[in-house]
Amino acid sequence: MPNDTSTMHGGSARRSPEANSRLRAPARWRGISETALARLFLAPSITVMVLVVVFPILYALVTSLNAYTRRQREGFAGLDNYVEVLSSGVFWQALSFTAVFTVTSVGLEFIIGLGFALIMNRALRGRGIVRATILIPWIIPTVMAGQMWAFMFNITPGSINGLLGLGDFNWLGQSGWAAGTVIIADVWKTAPFAALLLLAGLQTIPSEMYESAKVDGATSIQRFWYITLPLLRPAILVALLFRTVDALRVYDLPEVMTGGAFGTESLSMLVQQYIVETPDPGVGSALSTLTFMLVLAIGVIFVRAIGSHLVFGERSR
Amino acid sequence: MTTQTAHARTARQRPPRRIMDARWSVLLGIVFVWCLAPFFWLVMTSFKRGDRALNDPDLFQGPFGLDNYIAVLGQGFLLNMRNSLVVATMTTVVCTIIGALAAYAIARLPLKRRVLWLSGVLAASLFPPVSLVPPLYEVWRSIGLLNTWEGLYVSYVSFSLPLTIFILTTFFAAIPSELEEAAKIDGATPLQAFRKVILPLAGPGLFSAAIITFVTSWNEFLLASTFAPRNAEVAQTVPVAIAAFTGAVEFQRPIGTITAASVMVTIPMVILALVLQRRIVSGLTAGAVKG
């Protein structure tokens, strides 16, 4: 570590001629104030997000308040579309699948991902191979992973049935089990991503803490429980936040694996169905706005739990 | 109470080294099987020839051959890979650059209501992508971005920005502010302090964020299938192409071609993971500075 700081100072010393040439850059760059710089730095991100995200949100909000027949606007509908959505059985069915899917898959992904992160963080020979292996499921595109698992669970060729000696057990063709296969595929595919987010947190825990705990005679379980977990709290919450909101909007995997049959239709699939297949953009937009509000509410809970001081350190207080 | 259990555990002996090693090997074995068994299935299936072999649960049931790969290449799959590569690379470059700027502004620069900015960025990312499709489709059509690389990566950038900004904000916030202050005392402008002091230290964080962005856009299906559904020559990406695959022979189930295409896509990514894992993970400098 002292080595790092010294190379850094060395680096800046070496760079100083270049820095001098920088000073001859246009005057407005030289004297730009920090506040102006902050606005300048935020501008590109805000612009892109307003164009691609904020505009469609407002568009959906307006659409959801209008009545449509065969894509033709019929007039203002107030909250009729919302009432229609909330009183339809399909919505509650999709909501319950989405909820079950989210809780189960995020829970499993967190546990497995934490295990992966601890393994990846450990120094040992062949670490590169281990890390790359763990990351492989994550880099396979979701559509492919979905098709792969669907083929493996399918009756023909029946690879998983063959392995488990289950004969012609129809995983994808009955309710309950179909949801289970989608969850298994998602856990396999996404646990490495949770691991990566957690690993970033593990890396920031100074190794001195473990060493002094070792000197004090703490076992590895104690070190995990009293050092790793508390210090990992921000990374855990971030990983759970991003995985939860992603899982709540799951689309690709059930679409590819079951097409939404046998109680595996997610909220996003329902939205897609209303917006693209059933020509009623009003109801579709009401559905997506409801989904958004649900995800937003859960997101807010997480952001509260994360707390600004964990992100910004002491400065923000 | 918890401290008492802590003391009780301290008294217990650690298991001997050899048992630890054995446990570790078993654990690694499970990890390898869990991660790689489906991939092994993928590779074996991709080399099978004909319906009989493809429909046999026995992975070692031949005949084997390159038929599926030839069929995949015949459907212009290399062009799809090119499209995916261009779109994912452009997304990564643009997103990492503008995301880093925004994250630095939120984490470090004097900005009012920084928490509000960060929450706003996060909140915007919570809208279900499915419902972004119709309005965006209209906009993209009117400005001619359908079936183009730009149409895809501009939307991907905005989807990846929240996570990038979030990761980098925590990252920048962890770099001690003394470093910048020292640079400013030495006469650096705020921009120079960012470029010469903070950015080099944030290298590993930038790298992790960039990899995550790359993989996310490499995997994206919904927008790609709406904005560029056909035509490998133009902008159709890998996931869309695979979803549209037919078998090597007409009416054959596309299991062979899908697995072959998956292998072709996954191999370069596996090599990428092998080469880059050290940089994704390796001792994040922020932690080193803190310690």
Side-chain angles (χ1 to χ4, degrees):
Chain A
M1 262 160 276
N3 196 20
D4 271 329
T5 9
S6 69
T7 45
M8 207 196 71
H9 285 304
S12 55
R14 253 183 281 117
R15 280 199 209 97
S16 59
E18 197 195 326
N20 285 338
S21 73
R22 278 274 133 200
L23 288 176
R24 266 178 265 125
R28 61 197 169 88
W29 286 102
R30 208 189 310 152
I32 196 163
S33 78
E34 290 201 316
T35 321
L37 199 65
R39 295 205 185 110
L40 194 68
F41 276 11
L42 272 177
S45 295
I46 301 300
T47 311
V48 179
M49 290 186 62
V50 165
L51 171 68
V52 182
V53 183
V54 178
F55 159 70
I57 291 177
L58 297 176
Y59 180 97
L61 203 62
V62 172
T63 312
S64 72
L65 297 174
N66 284 296
Y68 289 83
T69 314
R70 296 178 195 281
R71 297 197 182 282
Q72 288 304 310
R73 193 173 161 269
E74 297 268 285
F76 186 70
L79 293 176
D80 288 0
N81 289 324
Y82 289 91
V83 173
E84 190 182 330
V85 169
L86 288 174
S87 57
S88 77
V90 219
F91 169 74
W92 294 104
Q93 216 165 19
L95 183 65
S96 85
F97 167 69
T98 309
V100 169
F101 173 84
T102 303
V103 171
T104 329
S105 65
V106 174
L108 289 171
E109 278 157 25
F110 170 68
I111 294 167
I112 295 174
L114 185 58
F116 282 173
L118 291 169
I119 290 171
M120 287 162 102
N121 195 34
R122 216 175 124 151
L124 78 163
R125 265 184 306 149
R127 180 165 65 171
I129 306 274
V130 174
R131 285 176 173 176
T133 304
I134 289 176
L135 291 179
I136 282 177
W138 175 57
I139 57 181
I140 294 184
T142 317
V143 174
M144 285 184 197
Q147 272 164 333
M148 182 181 81
W149 281 98
F151 281 134
M152 288 197 297
F153 274 115
N154 210 348
I155 295 182
T156 44
S159 313
I160 286 179
N161 282 343
L163 198 69
L164 302 176
L166 285 174
D168 274 354
F169 189 79
N170 195 352
W171 293 87
L172 295 160
Q174 43 188 314
S175 42
W177 291 105
T181 57
V182 175
I183 290 169
I184 290 176
D186 191 65
V187 170
W188 181 80
K189 165 90 180 75
T190 325
F193 178 60
L196 212 54
L197 292 177
L198 293 171
L199 183 62
L202 280 181
Q203 299 271 324
T204 61
I205 301 176
S207 55
E208 290 85 354
M209 296 204 67
Y210 290 108
E211 278 148 28
S212 56
K214 243 185 201 172
V215 171
D216 292 346
T219 65
S220 53
I221 295 167
Q222 283 171 336
R223 289 198 300 267
F224 174 75
W225 198 254
Y226 294 104
I227 299 177
T228 311
L229 273 189
L231 288 176
L232 205 56
R233 202 180 106 99
I236 289 175
L237 287 170
V238 169
L240 287 179
L241 166 69
F242 279 99
R243 279 308 307 138
T244 305
V245 300
D246 266 356
L248 285 172
R249 297 174 303 169
V250 64
Y251 175 79
D252 300 12
L253 221 44
E255 174 72 33
V256 168
M257 291 181 74
T258 61
F262 304 106
T264 56
E265 187 164 57
S266 71
L267 280 176
S268 282
M269 290 167 74
L270 202 60
V271 174
Q272 162 85 355
Q273 199 188 317
Y274 270 99
I275 287 183
V276 180
E277 287 158 28
T278 319
D280 195 342
V283 175
S285 301
L287 251 175
S288 58
T289 309
L290 281 173
T291 311
F292 173 57
M293 293 195 296
L294 175 79
V295 180
L296 187 65
I298 290 168
V300 165
I301 295 172
F302 271 109
V303 170
R304 287 244 156 137
I306 292 169
S308 59
H309 65 281
L310 283 175
V311 178
F312 298 113
E314 304 301 314
R315 283 163 51 98
S316 67
R317 288 201 189 143
Chain B
M1 192 204 104
T2 38
T3 39
Q4 274 174 355
T5 40
H7 284 301
R9 283 209 193 109
T10 321
R12 214 179 293 157
Q13 283 294 307
R14 296 180 60 197
R17 183 111 225 130
R18 214 151 21 103
I19 296 178
M20 292 285 282
D21 283 350
R23 278 189 206 161
W24 181 245
S25 312
V26 170
L27 191 66
L28 280 187
I30 294 171
V31 169
F32 272 98
V33 170
W34 165 255
C35 292
L36 293 182
F39 190 65
F40 179 69
W41 178 90
L42 201 66
V43 173
M44 291 306 287
T45 310
S46 73
F47 284 110
K48 289 185 170 196
R49 294 177 58 191
D51 273 338
R52 264 199 67 188
L54 284 170
N55 289 337
D56 196 303
D58 182 1
L59 277 186
F60 299 97
Q61 172 70 49
F64 294 102
L66 291 173
D67 299 27
N68 296 322
Y69 288 89
I70 294 163
V72 165
L73 290 176
Q75 296 181 27
F77 194 64
L78 287 179
L79 289 171
N80 295 124
M81 286 179 75
R82 178 202 62 180
N83 294 337
S84 273
L85 197 65
V86 171
V87 169
T89 309
M90 283 305 296
T91 310
T92 309
V93 170
V94 176
C95 182
T96 312
I97 292 174
I98 70 176
L101 296 179
Y104 184 67
I106 294 174
R108 271 309 163 71
L109 294 174
L111 192 70
K112 277 179 208 156
R113 293 184 282 274
R114 57 181 78 230
V115 180
L116 201 68
W117 278 105
L118 192 60
S119 323
V121 166
L122 280 176
S125 74
L126 300 180
F127 206 59
V130 174
S131 42
L132 299 181
V133 167
L136 261 189
Y137 187 88
E138 294 303 319
V139 177
W140 270 198
R141 193 176 59 184
S142 62
I143 57 178
L145 282 185
L146 289 182
N147 293 306
T148 61
W149 291 334
E150 291 76 16
L152 290 179
Y153 69 70
V154 169
S155 21
Y156 290 177
V157 163
S158 69
F159 283 123
S160 304
L161 266 176
L163 184 57
T164 303
I165 293 178
F166 201 84
I167 291 177
L168 293 179
T169 303
T170 42
F171 212 88
F172 288 140
I175 297 176
S177 52
E178 289 81 14
L179 288 173
E180 278 165 291
E181 278 147 26
K184 277 178 212 155
I185 290 167
D186 289 348
T189 65
L191 194 62
Q192 283 172 335
F194 174 62
R195 256 182 38 88
K196 309 270 177 192
V197 179
I198 302 299
L199 265 195
L201 285 174
L206 290 173
F207 217 88
S208 308
I211 291 286
I212 290 173
T213 307
F214 187 89
V215 172
T216 312
S217 39
W218 180 263
N219 291 353
E220 208 282 336
F221 173 68
L222 180 66
L223 292 183
S225 65
T226 318
F227 295 162
R230 279 172 287 278
N231 248 333
E233 289 82 24
V234 191
Q236 189 195 43
T237 60
V238 165
V240 184
I242 287 182
F245 266 161
T246 55
V249 190
E250 213 178 345
F251 301 124
Q252 189 183 334
R253 284 200 324 150
I255 177 168
T257 38
I258 286 176
T259 48
S262 302
V263 172
M264 284 173 62
V265 172
T266 312
I267 296 291
M269 296 295 275
V270 169
I271 294 170
L272 201 71
L274 265 174
V275 174
L276 295 185
Q277 53 79 23
R278 188 173 302 171
R279 303 201 58 179
I280 303 173
V281 171
S282 73
L284 299 183
T285 323
V289 174
K290 220 199 278 175

